[in-house]
Amino acid sequence: MTALLDIRNLKARVDGREILRGLNLTVQAGEVHAIMGQNGSGKSTLANVLAGRPSYEVTEGEVLFEGRDLLAMPPEERAREGLFLAFQYPVEIPGVNNIYFLKAALNAIRKHRGLEELDAMDFLALAREKMKFVDLDESFMNRAVNEGFSGGEKKRNEIFQLAVLEPKVAILDETDSGLDIDALRIVANGVNLLRNEHHAVVVITHYQRLLDYLIPDQVHVLHDGRIAKSGTRELALELEKRGYGWVEEESAAL
Amino acid sequence: MTETLDRTENILSRYAAMGESSVRGLQGPIRDLKEQALQQFLKEGFPTTRQEDWRFTNTAALARAEFLAPEPSRRLSESELSPFLLDRTDHFVFINGSFSRELSSTTSSIELLFFPLQELLRQNALAVGDLGKHASLEGHPFTALNTALFTDGAFIRVSEGVVLERPIHLLFVSTGGDKPYVSHPRVLIVAEPGSQMSVIESYVSLSEGPYWTNGVTEISLGSNARLDHYRLQQDSEQAFHTGRLQALLDRDSHLTTTSLSLGSGLARQDIGTKLSGVGSACVLNGLYLVHGKQHVDHHTIIDHATPHSDSEEFYKGILDEQGRGVFDGKIIVRKDAQKTNSGQVSRSLLLSASAIADTKPQLEIYADDVKCTHGSTIGQLDEAALFYLRTRGIGEKEARTLLIHGFASEVLERIKVPSLRLRMERAVLQRLPADVNV
């Protein structure tokens, strides 16, 4: 079976500095992967490269999305094909209405897939249903995108978008950072929505705490722009106990 | 050099001749005012970029062009007029500066007095009271020219305590003609104490051709009166537009005036408010869009002349192609104007590398117990926001459109007349890169 996401020997530069140095990762439908690692290991760079941020330069390797060349697609096409990035720092966009924005996004994706676009009424019904998962008040819908939202509200808005857009592959870039337990549960709920044979989730995190609520199939440790070690949930627990030092030493010894 | 001088003389003498014909048959103070205004204009002539207030705006092309008085206006069909009308408003229509009773929807009532100035002039019944009192002539040659040459316009008076439910729409339509012409619409709005109303002035065109609109609006607000005022400028992109607004605010009165400028090749708006009564407040909003080689210049002066007065200014410009936007905002806080509260924001969005924005906030504060803030920014579209929208599946062109519209909408949201807001939404969207149904 073709993997949903297949990253092969990916190397990427930001501001002339090489951050990813030959990263390999294969994600199959139905899987939840956790990527952990210290600050500066390349976690967020990976997320941004996959989403197509213009200032990130891929120098080598390839990424296949259901067998197709992801890196050749502009960001909007990646999204329409089914890739979603929950941002570490969601952007505030004054003057752009949250509900209008999300309806435009969903309809762009539906159109790409040959589905009929939703009208305002149908969209609102869908949005209301999804809002339950993230415990957002309806008044959020009529505010400007992320404008004046608290940190937790911004993260919940990301998960809300995820729930509405139902991507094939969702990448969560430190969505759990700075959240309290209640908010963490909400994030986990959102991820669990996608937990079935058609979707996959890549959770980038600094902490193992989130992994109490969503059990990953695989855990990877990112070090120096490569996957230094992969394992099961036990690996995350071990990292929590022993820190990252031993993995880095092991990796250096290889 | 001599040739230039001759030419200038020549042009001014043409306006002098127009001035003489405009006072024919007039007597008394109005004649004196018009003659004095003409002399003032002839003395000052067209402004040059050597003058500080005109540093960014060159009127040489305006001075050179040979404008005539408008020919007798042709009749307009309803279908020509209807695109410019606004739902749920009462409209008074002017064609090339002249009032058209048959195209207007309403007449005077006890609550609302409306007089076309032409009638008052013809009957020699135009009292010089509020007219000419607020819009000073000195240093304002175009106001002087308007005062000397206006032949028509609107005089609106709302009686004490009256709340007008329906906004008044003063619609100035230019039809274009064989030769470029100039009209000098004059508006006088008097809101008696405790009254409340909305007035929209809109300047629109049926042709693409060149002409010149030189308008002056004077506003007088009695104590505790409220006026929500809009000035929509959608003249032809070949046209010149010079506009002056001068308002006097009495005790506890409140004025909001919103300038919406999309048209003209060269537009200059001079907006002045004088807060002369304790507790008075004004809000100046502005949204301008330029593209091609359009040039829009807003000069605002808010004069806090009394303690406990508030002002807020919120201007936004969207500048594309080789367009240029100028914002010069002066706040004066006089010595006695303690407890003044004033805030000014001006933002310009540059959509192309060759667009130019000039902003100049000026604070002149002579009182010590005041709160004045100002901020101006000139920037491009936020790349991070653009990327964010694209990662959600929205195409680049649509994403740009959403962001530009979002920038404009912070002013559009302040438009309280629904039909005007809708029309502005559409007008703004028409200028944006993608078809988006916001």
Side-chain angles (χ1 to χ4, degrees), chain B residues 190-252:
Chain B
V190 178
E192 291 190 356
S195 65
Q196 191 175 324
M197 68 171 155
S198 302
V199 176
I200 302 148
E201 293 175 43
S202 64
Y203 297 84
V204 300
S205 175
L206 287 171
S207 80
E208 298 296 311
Y211 58 90
W212 177 18
T213 304
N214 177 40
V216 173
T217 298
E218 290 177 287
I219 294 171
S220 171
L221 293 189
S223 62
N224 212 25
R226 295 183 78 89
L227 172 63
D228 189 19
H229 173 262
Y230 303 88
R231 202 166 195 284
L232 167 59
Q233 188 272 109
Q234 275 185 304
D235 275 316
S236 137
E237 289 188 21
Q238 299 289 315
F240 297 91
H241 186 109
T242 46
R244 171 96 181 273
L245 179 136
Q246 192 63 46
L248 182 71
L249 284 80
D250 203 345
R251 192 184 173 103
D252 297 319

Side-chain angles (χ1 to χ4, degrees), chain A residues 76 80 85 95 100 105 158 161, chain B residues 388 390 392-393 395 409 436-437:
Chain A
E76 56 269 32
R80 291 171 192 168
L85 170 66
Y100 177 78
E158 295 291 289
Q161 292 172 22
Chain B
Y388 187 83
R390 293 177 72 192
R392 298 304 183 245
S409 72
V436 168
N437 180 23

Side-chain angles (χ1 to χ4, degrees), chain A residues 13-175:
Chain A
R13 280 203 293 220
V14 185
D15 295 330
R17 238 162 42 103
E18 186 158 65
I19 307 286
L20 299 183
R21 300 155 172 262
L23 188 142
N24 293 287
L25 180 69
T26 304
V27 179
Q28 303 286 351
E31 293 179 346
V32 172
H33 289 238
I35 296 180
M36 305 185 72
Q38 309 237 57
N39 283 334
S41 59
K43 300 192 302 283
S44 279
T45 301
L46 174 63
N48 280 294
V49 166
L50 293 178
R53 191 183 283 274
S55 53
Y56 287 59
E57 186 197 350
V58 174
T59 52
E60 221 182 299
E62 60 178 347
V63 179
L64 300 178
F65 190 89
E66 293 190 300
R68 264 173 296 170
D69 183 1
L70 183 79
L71 300 179
M73 304 175 195
E76 56 269 32
E77 200 182 328
R78 299 180 194 199
R80 291 171 192 168
E81 287 289 327
L83 182 81
F84 180 91
L85 170 66
F87 281 65
Q88 185 178 4
Y89 303 111
V91 186
E92 296 196 14
I93 311 181
V96 177
N97 179 279
N98 217 13
I99 186 112
Y100 177 78
F101 148 67
L102 196 51
K103 179 166 146 269
L106 180 64
N107 279 334
I109 292 168
R110 289 180 66 93
K111 199 173 159 192
H112 183 74
R113 296 183 185 161
L115 297 170
E116 208 178 315
E117 296 186 30
L118 292 188
D119 64 20
M121 293 296 283
D122 289 342
F123 177 76
L124 213 59
L126 174 76
R128 285 209 177 102
E129 183 200 321
K130 302 293 185 181
M131 232 181 269
K132 285 186 234 149
F133 289 102
V134 289
D135 196 26
L136 272 177
D137 189 84
E138 247 183 71
S139 64
F140 276 81
M141 302 293 281
N142 288 315
R143 285 168 62 183
V145 179
N146 292 322
E147 192 187 33
F149 287 24
S150 71
E153 285 165 350
K154 282 181 187 164
K155 298 290 179 79
R156 274 188 280 159
N157 197 24
E158 295 291 289
I159 299 303
F160 170 55
Q161 292 172 22
L162 178 151
V164 170
L165 301 179
E166 293 187 328
K168 287 179 190 151
V169 177
I171 302 162
L172 275 61
D173 187 6
E174 299 205 23
T175 304

Side-chain angles (χ1 to χ4, degrees), chain B residues 291-368:
Chain B
H291 62 176
K293 292 186 172 181
Q294 281 183 296
H295 180 117
V296 173
D297 176 351
H298 281 90
H299 267 61
T300 67
I301 300 179
I302 298 173
D303 185 353
H304 290 267
T306 176
H308 294 283
S309 60
D310 293 346
S311 70
E312 188 202 342
E313 213 166 354
F314 190 63
Y315 266 76
K316 288 199 160 193
I318 299 172
L319 316 169
D320 202 359
E321 295 167 346
Q322 287 164 278
R324 186 168 184 182
V326 180
F327 174 79
D328 183 313
K330 187 190 272 187
I331 313 277
I332 303 169
V333 181
R334 307 243 172 226
K335 195 159 161 273
D336 298 329
Q338 303 295 2
K339 305 288 180 190
T340 287
N341 204 337
S342 148
Q344 182 191 77
V345 171
S346 141
R347 302 200 190 292
S348 309
L349 178 61
L350 300 176
L351 298 180
S352 90
S354 38
I356 300 175
D358 299 289
T359 62
K360 191 173 152 198
Q362 301 182 70
L363 299 180
E364 279 183 25
I365 302 175
Y366 304 102
D368 49 22

